[in-house]
Amino acid sequence: MSRVTVIGHEDRVGDVVDLLQRQGNVEVTLFGTDLSDEERRCHGCPFEPGATLARLEGLLSELKYTIDFMAKHHRIPKTMLENFTGYRLRMTASEWDRLIQGESQAVSELYGRARSLDEELTVLAAEEAKAASGIEALQAWLNAGFRIDQSRAGQFVTVVMGTLAADTCESSLSEISRTLLEFAWEVVGTLDKVSYVVIAYPTSVEEVAAQTLAAHGFSRASFSGFSDTPANEIEKLEAELERIHARRAEVMGMVEAFVSERPRAFALYDHLARERDKLAIVANFGGTKRTFVIEGWARTRDLPAIRGSVEGEFPDVVVLDRPAMEGEQPPVDLVNGPLAYPFEAVTRIMGLPKVGGIDPSPLLAPFFFVFFGVCLTDAPYGVALAVIGYLLLKKTRAKGMGRQLLFLIMAGGLSTFIMGALFGGWFGDLFARVFGLRPIWFDPLKEPLKFLLLAFGLGVIQIFFGLAVKAYDNIRRGNPLAALFDQGFWAVFLIGLGLTIGGGSLGPGVAKAARYVAIVGALGLVATQGRHHKNPLMRVGSGLLSLYSTTSYVSDVVSYARLFGLGFTTAVLGMVINDIALRPAGIPIVGPIIVVVGLAFGHAFNLLINVIGAYVHSSRLQYVEFFSKFYETGGKRFSPFRVTMKYVEVDNPKEA
């Protein structure tokens, strides 16, 4: 990374910002972080985009409301793939230009229509709820043959509508009649253990009547807004519901027509968000009354392009650059060739390397490639993976890490095809049964021990490679003794120990010589691994204890048995699927159909469950066994100032 400074006259600031955003090569940082407070006040941002920024935020808020309203009433039909990868509307540059014309007026019109339709739907929903609740409340009084407005306190008689518990209704009314003289009632209906009652009593005993009725659990009913008989009121409410439904259908038709404006809303949102981002980034600038200064980070390889485009288009603007100085923490980005590019995804998931650290992507690439294939070991599965990865790449037009993952799937497919051919995996043992096809190298099902030793061998190679990488890192940092003490002695000790245990097959002298090699390595470790202690006893003690880490290396090697386990499982499952699916082959007519369907589903299932394991465990071996030998994460991700689109993908962004 290089430090970049762009200086120009204030008249050029808008054009330069637009150019930098379209190029997407510079991460803009806050100006003057290394200046004193006084200097920062003198050379702080000379621009005040606050009012314009607030206007754009307001328009974006209105567009977000409009887009959400459209989505609420008319969801975008997405494919299963788009549900995972995200959906963006594709359009040409000319369509984009047409749709973003007259932005302020267009946003106002869209928002106004959305608000109007939304408010009317809200009112209709409230009216519908009110009518429905009215019908529900009146349904139990349907048999009451008098007007509701007659339920009131008159000069001589008071009529009240209310409810009593159904199981005690008759007894309660009889008792009330003994207390209140000239008391009359009528039970108009019973529903859900509740009796609906109309009662009448002299108005002159109102107080006594209220106490008596309350004592028997009488609950007065309230019918605000109703005056006619319950039956007539229900009829009116049902007519009202019909009107509401009819109007809602009309409004929903208007909503459907309004949704056709969604491309315009999408384009306007992304356009205004882009303009908002350009204004927001200006707050990081420095300058004077007539000049501006932009500071940031850029990839060193991009400097010629940045300088050429900015100074070429604006001759009065200057681009300066310098390497990162001591104490500065530039962001980190991974830059690799096409062979290592897909494997950057594995590194990014773990975390970016520290500034000045080693990018492990090209180092892990051959191991991940081989491990993935060994886990699947079936050539047709590899072809299927490569084709799926290619189609997804073309269909989704994925970018960034998504694109790397799709390339990783294609690389995994290629590796699986090669390993399948080496180990004779062609839909399990199907091709061996039908065509007599034999593996190029050996069959893991017939020689499982050889396959297990191959997995251990791959682990040993990767672990020693990790030690070599760390030794190289120590040497390039000017610490060759650390490379000798911490990696060299361990390599000598582990090689000697390994040959002492298993070198007998190479000859009697090999094991004997290896023993001395192991002793030399162990002595070297005992002498150096406690060197950070000042106390001599602590040094020797730490050195001796360091030998216990041998178990860690052994554990690491054993961990690679997962390659054997996954590869063996894929082959065995394939064989079992073939065995089961081929059994109905002798059945006339339907037998071959059952065989084809069974093989297709069986092998699709085998591929699905094992491809996940192949990815997870191949990655796990990198993160735990390999990275632990040398890798240091902690780098800050490089985030260049660039155009970001949320809803739209323009076919030719340069014209957008």
Side-chain angles (χ1 to χ4, degrees):
M1 286 289 170
S2 293
R3 190 69 171 163
V4 176
T5 303
V6 182
I7 304 173
H9 190 269
E10 62 170 348
D11 293 342
R12 294 292 192 193
V13 65
D15 296 330
V16 172
V17 169
D18 184 70
L19 179 60
L20 292 180
Q21 188 187 43
R22 281 189 282 114
Q23 281 194 328
N25 289 331
V26 177
E27 178 179 322
V28 177
T29 59
L30 183 63
F31 172 80
T33 53
D34 55 343
L35 300 178
S36 65
D37 293 341
E38 181 62 27
E39 289 174 320
R40 197 177 299 115
R41 276 194 296 272
C42 294
H43 302 290
C45 177
F47 310 105
E48 290 292 341
T52 308
L53 199 58
R55 184 183 70 83
L56 289 177
E57 291 287 4
L59 292 175
L60 285 169
S61 176
E62 292 179 351
L63 278 172
K64 184 69 169 58
Y65 173 88
T66 304
I67 291 170
D68 288 346
F69 171 77
M70 293 177 176
K72 177 181 176 182
H73 295 285
H74 189 102
R75 291 191 175 278
I76 299 173
K78 298 179 183 177
T79 64
M80 185 174 68
L81 182 61
E82 288 172 336
N83 283 320
F84 289 98
T85 61
Y87 170 85
R88 282 192 293 180
L89 180 65
R90 293 179 60 180
M91 62 178 63
T92 64
S94 59
E95 289 175 323
W96 166 272
D97 290 337
R98 176 177 58 80
L99 291 173
I100 63 174
Q101 292 297 317
E103 55 189 40
S104 297
Q105 182 178 355
V107 173
S108 178
E109 290 175 358
L110 290 172
Y111 176 70
R113 289 176 64 185
R115 175 63 77 179
S116 173
L117 292 170
D118 198 14
E119 288 178 351
E120 183 161 6
L121 287 173
T122 302
V123 170
L124 289 174
E127 291 177 348
E128 182 183 34
K130 182 180 178 182
S133 65
I135 291 174
E136 183 180 2
L138 291 170
Q139 200 69 41
W141 300 93
L142 189 61
N143 296 327
F146 66 95
R147 293 175 60 88
I148 294 174
D149 55 5
Q150 291 176 339
S151 173
R152 65 179 189 276
Q155 184 177 1
F156 301 105
V157 178
T158 295
V159 179
V160 179
M161 301 169 70
T163 59
L164 284 168
D167 55 346
T168 59
C169 179
E170 291 299 330
S171 60
S172 296
L173 291 171
S174 297
E175 290 180 19
I176 294 170
S177 65
R178 287 194 288 272
T179 304
L180 297 176
L181 300 178
E182 300 180 74
F183 176 73
W185 72 87
E186 179 184 359
V187 179
V188 298
T190 300
L191 186 66
D192 295 335
K193 299 181 180 180
V194 176
S195 292
Y196 296 83
V197 186
V198 180
I199 62 176
Y201 53 83
T203 303
S204 57
V205 297
E206 173 62 37
E207 185 174 350
V208 176
Q211 293 175 354
T212 305
L213 291 172
H216 288 82
F218 182 82
S219 177
R220 292 173 182 256
S222 176
F223 295 100
S224 176
F226 298 126
S227 57
D228 208 339
T229 63
N232 288 340
E233 290 292 352
I234 288 175
E235 186 176 347
K236 292 177 186 175
L237 290 172
E238 288 175 343
E240 175 67 4
L241 279 179
E242 289 182 7
R243 181 196 69 79
I244 291 170
H245 293 160
R247 179 54 186 166
R248 175 182 289 145
E250 292 178 10
V251 176
M252 290 308 297
M254 296 163 68
V255 171
E256 288 296 317
F258 179 54
V259 169
S260 65
E261 295 284 352
R262 182 145 46 196
R264 180 183 295 277
F266 282 176
L268 284 169
Y269 186 94
D270 280 347
H271 167 66
L272 293 174
R274 176 178 163 181
E275 296 301 312
R276 184 266 318 272
D277 293 344
K278 286 195 290 189
L279 284 174
I281 203 71
V282 169
N284 292 332
F285 295 178
T288 63
K289 287 184 178 179
R290 298 292 179 224
T291 64
F292 68 89
V293 181
I294 304 173
E295 288 185 337
W297 296 99
R299 303 182 194 91
T300 303
R301 70 173 186 178
D302 293 333
L303 290 176
I306 296 170
R307 178 174 286 104
S309 59
V310 174
E311 294 184 349
E313 193 164 343
F314 312 110
D316 53 345
V317 177
V318 178
V319 177
L320 306 174
D321 68 88
R322 62 168 174 77
M325 295 194 305
E326 187 175 353
E328 289 184 324
Q329 291 294 319
V332 176
D333 195 21
L334 304 180
V335 180
N336 289 290
L339 292 179
Y341 172 76
F343 301 92
E344 288 181 8
V346 181
T347 302
R348 291 181 187 277
I349 291 173
M350 183 65 177
L352 293 170
K354 293 175 67 174
V355 176
I358 292 176
D359 175 8
S361 304
L363 307 178
L364 70 85
F367 293 103
F368 189 96
F369 182 82
V370 173
F371 293 172
F372 192 95
V374 170
C375 288
L376 286 179
T377 59
D378 199 294
Y381 291 3
V383 174
L385 276 181
V387 171
I388 291 171
Y390 177 78
L391 293 177
L392 289 177
L393 192 66
K394 292 296 180 185
K395 182 71 176 177
T396 63
R397 304 174 71 181
K399 298 178 181 177
M401 192 166 167
R403 185 178 180 83
Q404 289 174 337
L405 285 172
L406 292 178
F407 272 114
L408 191 65
I409 291 175
M410 295 169 63
L414 176 61
S415 171
T416 303
F417 176 80
I418 294 172
M419 297 303 162
L422 288 175
F423 299 120
W426 297 88
F427 289 124
D429 62 345
L430 184 62
F431 281 23
R433 293 185 187 209
V434 179
F435 305 114
L437 192 63
R438 301 302 172 198
I440 295 175
W441 189 1
F442 68 90
D443 186 347
L445 296 179
K446 294 180 179 177
E447 299 180 80
L449 181 60
K450 190 174 182 179
F451 195 44
L452 178 62
L453 292 176
L454 172 65
F456 287 155
L458 290 171
V460 170
I461 293 172
Q462 190 175 35
I463 289 170
F464 276 96
F465 183 63
L467 288 174
V469 173
K470 184 60 181 176
Y472 162 76
D473 192 34
N474 281 329
I475 293 171
R476 78 185 180 103
R477 292 174 185 272
N479 198 359
L481 288 179
L484 174 63
F485 298 158
D486 298 336
Q487 287 82 48
F489 284 146
W490 268 114
V492 171
F493 174 65
L494 292 173
I495 291 172
L497 186 62
L499 290 176
T500 299
I501 297 172
S505 60
L506 301 176
V510 173
K512 185 176 180 181
R515 191 179 309 130
Y516 292 111
V517 172
I519 292 172
V520 170
L523 291 174
L525 291 171
V526 171
T528 60
Q529 295 306 293
R531 63 185 184 278
H532 54 284
H533 292 295
K534 293 182 179 179
N535 188 317
L537 292 177
M538 292 291 289
R539 289 185 181 182
V540 175
S542 294
L544 288 171
L545 285 175
S546 71
L547 295 179
Y548 185 73
S549 297
T550 305
T551 59
S552 173
Y553 285 99
V554 173
S555 173
D556 286 349
V557 173
V558 171
S559 183
Y560 286 81
R562 68 189 66 238
L563 299 177
F564 161 80
L566 288 167
F568 198 78
T569 300
T570 306
V572 169
L573 278 176
M575 184 182 68
V576 172
I577 289 167
N578 294 336
D579 192 50
I580 296 174
L582 290 174
R583 287 184 182 180
I587 301 174
I589 302 176
V590 298
I593 299 174
I594 296 174
V595 169
V596 171
V597 173
L599 289 174
F601 277 98
H603 285 287
F605 173 76
N606 196 21
L607 171 61
L608 180 63
I609 61 171
N610 284 296
V611 73
I612 297 172
Y615 172 77
V616 170
H617 289 283
S618 297
S619 300
R620 193 265 186 199
L621 289 173
Q622 313 307 317
Y623 298 148
V624 179
E625 277 72 25
F626 187 46
F627 283 7
S628 62
K629 304 297 178 294
F630 69 95
Y631 188 47
E632 297 180 54
T633 63
K636 175 178 171 292
R637 186 171 65 89
F638 177 60
S639 301
F641 174 56
R642 60 174 54 158
V643 176
T644 56
M645 296 286 203
K646 183 175 182 179
Y647 296 108
V648 175
E649 182 173 342
V650 183
D651 284 341
N652 188 354
K654 291 183 179 180
E655 296 176 14

